[in-house]
Amino acid sequence: MLLDVRDLRVEFRTRDGVVGAVNGVSYAVDAGETLAVLGESGSGKSVTAQAVMGILDSPPGRVTGGEIRFKDRDLLTLDREERRRIRGEKMAMIFQDALSALNPVLSVGYQLGEMFRVHRGMSRKDARAKAIELMERVRIPAARERVDDFPHQFSGGMRQRIMIAMALALEPELIIADEPTTALDVTVQAQVMDLLAELQREYRMGLILITHDLGVVADVADRIAVMYAGRIVEHAPVRGLYARPAHPYTRGLLDSIPRLDQKGKELLAIKGMPPNLLHVPAGCPFHPRCPRARDVCRHDPPPPLYEEVGPGRSSACHFWKETIGE
Ligand code: ADP
Ligand code: MG
C-alpha cells in the first residue's frame, strides 16, 4: 500500500476547549488508485490531509494518535528533515485557491522552473524549458508565449492547471487534491477534473481527492470514504456506494445532488447542521439529523467501521441493512 492511514487523531487546543477534528480515521490509497474523501464542510477532510502532508497548523493542531504509513514507514516517527524531503519529492498537494497558493509577484514559468532548479539542480535555461513542457502537459494554450505571465493573468481554470503542473513537476507518488475544482464554473470543473484523472492514470500516482460534492467524483474515483464529524462513516467502491448507500448520511448526500432529469424538483438536502466539534452529540454523531435515528443511536456509539457490509464496504450505522436495502 502506498499510503495507509490508521486510526489517526488530531486535536486543536482552542480557548473554548479541545476540538477533536479527526477522531480515528483510517484510509488507504495505492499507486494508480483514486480515493475520494467526501463530506460537508468542517468534517475533518482537510485536517486529515494536512496531517498526512505534515503541514498541520501546529500549534494549535496536534496529532494525538494513529499512524501515517507511507511505503511502510510511519511518517509520524520521522524527523523534520526526512519528513520535509518526502513531502517535497514524493507527495504533492493541490489546493482550492490557486491564487493564494501561487506567488503573485513571480511569473508562473519562474515558479514552475524553481522546482527543477531547486530540486534537480537544473540550469535556468533547462528549467524554463521544463516549465513550458509542463504547461503544455496540462494543456495551457500558447504555453511558450505565456510562460512569463503572472498568476493573475490566467483564468481560474488555467491557474488550477498551473497548480496541477506544479504538483506533477517532481513526479510524486501521491497527490492530495483538496477541493481542486470547487472555485470553478461547472464546465471548467469537469475539464480540470478530467485532466487530473488522466494525469493520475498516466503517472500511476495515488490520488486522494477531497470534495464536498458527490457529483464531482463519480467518474474519477475508485473508492469513496464519507466523513462526518471527524470520522469515516462509510467506505465503499464508487459504484456500490452510488447504487446502494449503507449510511443514512451518504443517502442524504446522494439525494442532495441536483439531477438534470429531475429539474424543478425540490432538493432533499440533509436537515440541520453538522455538529460543533466542541460538543459532539452522544451516541452516533449524526443522530440529530438522521431520519432513521432510534434510541440506540442516541445512546450507543455507532458500530466500528471495520464491520463489513459487503466486499470492500463498511458502514458505521446500526441500521445499515435497512439503509442499503431501501
Ligand atoms: P473540512 O472537512 O471542511 O476540510 P477541516 O478539516 O478543515 O474541515 O476542519 C475540521 C474541523 O477542525 C473544523 O470544523 C474545526 O473545528 C477544526 N479546525 C480546523 N482548523 C482549525 C484551527 N486552525 N484551529 C482550530 N480548529 C480548527
Ligand atoms: Mg476543507
Side-chain angles (χ1 to χ4, degrees):
M1 197 53 75
L2 180 65
L3 176 77
D4 192 358
V5 175
R6 296 182 190 170
D7 200 24
L8 185 70
R9 288 166 197 275
V10 180
E11 285 179 359
F12 287 92
R13 291 178 183 270
T14 71
R15 267 184 318 172
D16 303 319
V18 176
V19 174
V22 180
N23 303 300
V25 163
S26 301
Y27 63 45
V29 63
D30 219 342
E33 200 186 31
T34 297
L35 170 73
V37 179
L38 181 79
E40 286 165 293
S41 175
S43 54
K45 307 180 300 292
S46 295
V47 170
T48 307
Q50 287 155 12
V52 170
M53 287 295 290
I55 56 168
L56 197 62
D57 190 10
S58 169
R62 200 161 66 94
V63 174
T64 55
E67 293 173 23
I68 301 171
R69 306 192 71 82
F70 183 73
K71 301 172 89 176
D72 284 328
R73 295 170 84 194
D74 182 1
L75 298 183
L76 295 173
T77 63
L78 302 184
D79 65 36
R80 220 174 244 276
E81 186 48 37
E82 278 180 301
R83 192 80 195 269
R84 204 185 54 77
R85 220 185 48 240
I86 290 179
R87 174 164 69 243
E89 298 269 337
K90 307 269 182 229
M91 302 178 166
M93 194 147 170
I94 297 168
F95 299 93
Q96 175 177 335
D97 180 6
L99 255 196
S100 57
L102 297 168
N103 188 328
V105 300
L106 298 173
S107 73
V108 301
Y110 185 89
Q111 292 181 66
L112 285 167
E114 196 172 29
M115 306 290 288
F116 299 104
R117 290 193 305 277
V118 172
H119 291 270
R120 299 284 182 261
M122 278 188 193
S123 69
R124 249 171 192 282
K125 188 162 164 270
D126 290 349
R128 184 184 161 87
K130 283 296 254 184
I132 294 169
E133 198 183 302
L134 269 178
M135 287 170 74
E136 284 168 348
R137 199 70 206 69
V138 296
R139 293 194 220 110
I140 292 182
R144 200 169 291 277
E145 285 80 61
R146 302 212 62 187
V147 65
D148 297 318
D149 284 357
F150 293 89
H152 71 89
Q153 293 173 286
F154 292 84
S155 68
M158 287 299 150
R159 274 200 296 272
Q160 218 54 14
R161 287 169 191 262
I162 291 163
M163 195 148 55
I164 293 173
M166 293 274 270
L168 285 175
L170 303 177
E171 302 192 12
E173 293 174 65
L174 175 72
I175 287 197
I176 303 182
D178 192 350
E179 311 257 8
T181 63
T182 299
L184 306 174
D185 295 340
V186 176
T187 46
V188 183
Q189 252 182 26
Q191 292 162 5
V192 171
M193 197 53 76
D194 287 348
L195 174 72
L196 188 59
E198 178 194 317
L199 293 166
Q200 179 267 336
R201 275 193 300 272
E202 190 180 318
Y203 288 75
R204 276 195 60 74
M205 296 176 294
L207 174 63
I208 296 179
L209 187 59
I210 297 172
T211 177
H212 64 269
D213 183 353
L214 244 177
V216 164
V217 296
D219 299 329
V220 296
D222 298 297
R223 286 178 293 115
I224 297 191
V226 181
M227 281 189 77
Y228 190 77
R231 296 162 179 81
I232 293 178
V233 295
E234 176 163 8
H235 191 163
V238 171
R239 263 167 253 301
L241 182 132
Y242 273 82
R244 298 187 331 137
H247 195 288
Y249 179 59
T250 314
R251 164 106 266 164
L253 291 175
L254 279 169
D255 287 344
S256 35
I257 302 178
R259 285 178 45 175
L260 291 174
D261 56 335
Q262 295 181 356
K263 234 184 186 141
K265 263 202 186 171
E266 197 187 338
L267 286 183
L268 299 163
I270 306 165
K271 65 172 187 190
M273 298 277 287
N276 174 346
L277 294 176
L278 279 167
H279 309 285
V280 178
C284 170
F286 186 57
H287 87 252
R289 305 173 70 189
C290 182
R292 286 197 176 278
R294 299 181 209 161
D295 261 358
V296 61
C297 309
R298 288 181 262 277
H299 305 296
D300 294 357
L305 194 61
Y306 51 75
E307 216 166 273
E308 291 265 306
V309 311
R313 300 197 58 171
S314 42
S315 164
C317 177
H318 292 292
F319 300 108
W320 66 263
K321 277 189 189 139
E322 295 171 23
T323 309
I324 209 169
E326 216 169 43

